[in-house]
Amino acid sequence: MPTGKHSPANNRPGLEPTPDSPRPSEPDRLPLDRLVPAGWLLGIALTVVSLCVLTLTYDTVRGVFPPPDQAAPVLHAIGLNELALVPSGRPARRPVLTPSPIDWRYGPVLPRQAPEVIPLLKTAPFDTPRAATP
Amino acid sequence: MRHRRYAQFLWAGRELLTHPGATLLMALSMGLLTTMMATGLLLSQALTATTSRLLDQGPDLVVRRVTPNGGQPISSQAADLALKIPGITEARPRIWGTVSTPQAAVTVVAADRDAIARLTITAAIQAPVRGEAVAGSGVHLPETDAHLVLHGTDTITVRITQRFPQETDLATHDLVMLHPDDARRLLGLALDEACDLALAVFHPDEAEALLPELARVFPWPVHIATRQETRKHYATAFGRRGGLAALLYIPAVIALALLTAAVIRQHIGSRSRVGLLKALGWTSRDIVGLQITKAAIVGLPAIAGGLMLAYALVYAPSQTWAGMLLLGWQETAPIMHLDAGFAAPVFLEVAGILLIPYLAAVLWSSLVQAASNPHDLLNRGN
Amino acid sequence: MPTALACRNLTYAYPNGASSATTALLRNIDAVFPGGRVVLISGKSGAGKSTLLHLLAGLLRPTSGEILADGQPVSRWLTAHRDRWRRRVGIVFQQDYLVSELTVLENVMLPLIPRSGSPRYWRESSHNILARLNAVELVGQSVSTLSGGQRQRVATARALVDAPDYILADEPTAHQDLENAQRLGHLLRQAAERGAIVVVAAHDRHVDKWLKVDQHLSLADGNLEPAP
Amino acid sequence: MTRHPLLLAVFTTDILTVLLILWASATAVRIALHWNPQDTGAQQLRLQTQSETAALAVAWAFGLHLLATATLIYGMTNILPGMVPGAMCGTGVLQAMQSGGPRMLIYRLMGLAILWIWWRIENVNQSQPEAPLVPANARIVLLALPVFALALYAAWQAALAMDFQQPVDCCAVIYDQFHSLEEARRTLGAGHTGWLTAFGVLTVALVASAVAAWKTAGRRWPHLLLAALAMAWLPIAAIALVRVLAAYHYGVLHHHCPWCLFLPEHHLAGFPIWAAWIVVAMEAPVAVALSLLAARQAPPAQTSACHQAGLAARNTLLAVLIFLCLTVGPALWWRLRFGMWLTG
């Protein structure tokens, strides 16, 4: 309990209850303020922050989600230097080669431009050979 | 002192409860903003980190033959020429390219029997024989048939006998591995021809120093791509996509500005409350502390939760949304097992981007009021 | 306990409309409010009683002159120091300025929060002072449901809850019945007996019905003089 | 002329800083002319209120200046080198900025020093209810105004001079200082061993005087000694760092570049090292100023000034220790790891 100036007012001789003042009821039993829900709010906020910080710290340090280690030996075995992040045929699949001033076709019979996949699929029948470019 | 601080935290919580709806709305808005911003940044960061890590397993240098008419197949003997240069430890002629199937374009690659034999992953992969193929999880087949029709310079039909494991999707999602003879036929290459030459060097950091010598050793002009170059291209591509994604942040930043303005307005709106508190013995420091505490009680969990959600969205083991939404996959996107090792700076960056203006707005408005005369605040406030 | 609160050559003028001219509300006031005494300031409406109390509480800076608390020129102190000093002041405003979103008990708690003490202490102190002002039945209510007299009692409880050294009360019994006014008078007298400086501003000169006054000053035409 | 967002941000912050100081200067002039703490007249009371607002403005200006300086240094060392052809670090960027660059840095540091003193005195001032040091700080604000205006002008000149098409050769600046290896091993005629010895002796003396000044905050001579030693230590520490000890960060000899330390390759070590150096440069004079000020004040302000002087001495001590750890530490680590010093 606080003491001195901040002790409860009824302990001070100068502020004695007047004879006709009503008897103070027990303050803790009455839901007179919202400090308890405020405490809950604080607790929830603290818990959320702590959980998030702990989880993120643990994950970034230890790596709970599987890292891309399984793909690495396969990439080594097939010997490619590109990833399957973008569908095949898109310029972004092969950023080293596109855009490029060099025409990467192997032969003059092949189309000049590497085929864009979507128009190719939408318009052309599949009974004729298609372009093959690295 | 500690007791007093706890009591003030408690009171800040109580003040927030006077407007629970606004408090919740504020927390949700900040959380969503955080998720939006952090997801984009984390994804870009994770893709760059993962690409870099995976490309370390690829060749150090790739040599392509160039003629005035364009790219040309390379002779398989070119590997011997390359191996004459000290520092080059391995030269592998590669047969690979993009071809189409009735469903979509796929990348085909000729199997290197020795390299495949060394592969010890969960589901061991066997190098395919003629007429068979190993396909990635994103290569579609008709429901009743295991045969795949491939259109290149020729058309061939192969039977899919194995699938690459889904965990390797980042490298194999729409990849078809063929027998070298099938691959040559499909790509229109002669028996001793390859598309290009993949080289491994003894000291990867010094790969660039070998370029002049490599260019000299071949009897025809060549284009040589280094790993560094490949990495840089990927980083640029992600950066460009990130730049486009930044356009999405504009509404987010506007929303943040409005949010901050609302906070300021809320504080200025309660000038008479500040005046009253000062009259009742609250110091400027108490009032600023209360406002900052209130902002922190709302902002910190919202930002932490938003970051957590973004983290789960980007790094969850089975996430495919990024491929579907951002990378152009139509039906099935590769499962991305991304590298979470470098996420911490992004968290700090996003937390800083959001929290600093928010807290600055609160601090500024609180300070401006706290320095005023309580009498003026009481009488001129609303 | 404080020895005295004093005004020295205190002038307060406010801007007169859009022009740069000012109107002096209080002129060169010299007064001393000693510790342990109850001082009444009476005067007509608009005479400047509330402004004087606000100046004494450090809520307002004088145009010239100074307020001295125990000989220290508090009115000229830096804001942070004046803020800290004001923790020793309990002020009852003419308007009650209760916070409508808080309950009665929480309104009374407000001065205690930045000081030391636990929530339990806040509750007990607030509860006790409300009990002494015959307002204990109001503790859990929202202030928006209170009558004018009840609001004024709650505002008074808020001013007295931390047993301040300086009590400045502006029309504290404006809406009170005689019984509650007497109860308040008793509390103010008790505070003075423990050494506090009590200054009450009231429009009604007949305060002796509820308050035993030691000194009675009258404010008229910007001057503070002993009441006749 | 460059319109790089980073430089624009710094420039905007600088303009804001000058405006805040300009606004505070208007009050400072009135304070210098009319301040009379005994007077309780309307003018003096108005000045007292205005002095508080002006102090708030200068505090914001100080914060903004610190932020802008840190941003500028980061940009000069980590962002702009990528845009100036041939620039590897801040040296190349300074080259591209021509004479405006060094002048801008000097004025910024001068401004920082002035506001640092202002800030410390303001701490003493704010600790006293009646703010006895308002006139002293008003004069400091008036002194700061031309320095900040010059810094802004120099920044404008530097931005105008920057040309992202014109190549620079920052390594040439570093290596062209010497015509022979022998010259690279000496600085101002003295060998590296001599500089290191001087650095070691002065560091020990500075640490001892900082401890003395911290523990005996009420006495003047330890503070005077601290400032004198610090003034001697600063150039010698800079020479020892750039000419000798930086080699252990770079891993090569005779790369006498102060700016490469700020690069990520060297773990951004330049930031804490030079920050510690700047703290010594700022706090040691502040400690003297405050101890001299304390002698002229009445007891409560005197106590507070002594306390602040002690804090300044303590900060000097901490900064010297940080500098020592980050400069000598890598050298010791190198010696332990490879069994030899980098001596060339």
Side-chain angles (χ1 to χ4, degrees), chain A residues 8-57:
Chain A
N10 60 348
N11 291 340
R12 280 192 295 268
L15 280 173
E16 283 300 312
T18 49
D20 53 345
S21 63
R23 188 180 171 76
S25 59
E26 179 54 56
D28 283 343
R29 288 189 191 161
L30 296 168
L32 309 172
D33 55 56
R34 292 205 201 150
L35 292 177
V36 173
W40 279 106
L41 180 69
L42 274 186
I44 291 168
L46 201 65
T47 311
V48 168
V49 173
S50 311
L51 276 179
C52 292
V53 167
L54 282 177
T55 312
L56 294 177
T57 309

Side-chain angles (χ1 to χ4, degrees), chain B residues 253-297:
Chain B
V253 170
I254 291 171
L256 179 67
L258 288 173
L259 209 68
T260 311
V263 169
I264 295 173
R265 196 178 155 71
Q266 188 189 339
H267 286 244
I268 291 172
S270 60
R271 276 166 34 153
S272 60
R273 170 87 69 94
V274 173
L276 173 68
L277 292 179
K278 288 195 83 170
L280 296 180
W282 290 57
T283 63
S284 301
R285 182 177 286 203
D286 294 330
I287 293 168
V288 172
L290 177 75
Q291 303 294 8
I292 293 283
T293 310
K294 279 164 67 178
I297 292 174

Side-chain angles (χ1 to χ4, degrees), chain D residues 143-326:
Chain D
L143 181 67
L145 183 63
V147 175
F148 275 87
L150 284 170
L152 184 65
Y153 179 69
W156 172 249
Q157 292 285 312
L160 273 184
M162 275 200 87
D163 181 0
F164 290 152
Q165 310 303 322
Q166 186 69 35
V168 297
D169 188 354
C170 68
C171 281
V173 176
I174 301 299
Y175 293 116
D176 284 356
Q177 296 175 56
F178 321 110
H179 299 104
S180 67
L181 196 59
E182 193 49 41
E183 272 185 49
R185 290 183 186 135
R186 304 183 76 76
T187 306
L188 301 173
H192 288 168
T193 317
W195 288 108
L196 278 180
T197 311
F199 172 63
V201 170
L202 274 173
T203 303
V204 171
L206 189 62
V207 166
S209 72
V211 171
W214 177 24
K215 294 294 174 190
T216 57
R219 299 170 73 176
R220 218 181 314 167
W221 68 263
H223 292 89
L224 283 169
L225 183 65
L226 175 70
L229 283 170
M231 290 307 113
W233 181 86
L234 286 165
I236 288 175
I239 289 171
L241 169 64
V242 175
R243 293 295 169 107
V244 190
L245 297 167
Y248 295 96
H249 283 278
Y250 300 144
V252 293
L253 278 166
H254 313 312
H255 183 66
H256 298 164
C257 177
W259 290 97
C260 282
L261 281 171
F262 291 93
L263 296 177
E265 294 93 290
H266 308 303
H267 311 105
L268 308 171
F271 287 98
I273 290 175
W274 287 109
W277 190 87
I278 286 176
V279 169
V280 175
M282 302 290 150
E283 287 286 44
V286 160
V288 175
L290 285 168
S291 85
L292 291 175
L293 189 78
R296 293 163 55 186
Q297 295 304 311
Q302 192 179 46
T303 313
S304 176
C306 285
H307 175 67
Q308 290 290 327
L311 284 183
R314 187 203 63 187
N315 290 350
T316 309
L317 174 68
L318 288 176
V320 171
L321 293 178
I322 289 171
F323 187 91
L324 203 62
C325 288
L326 295 176

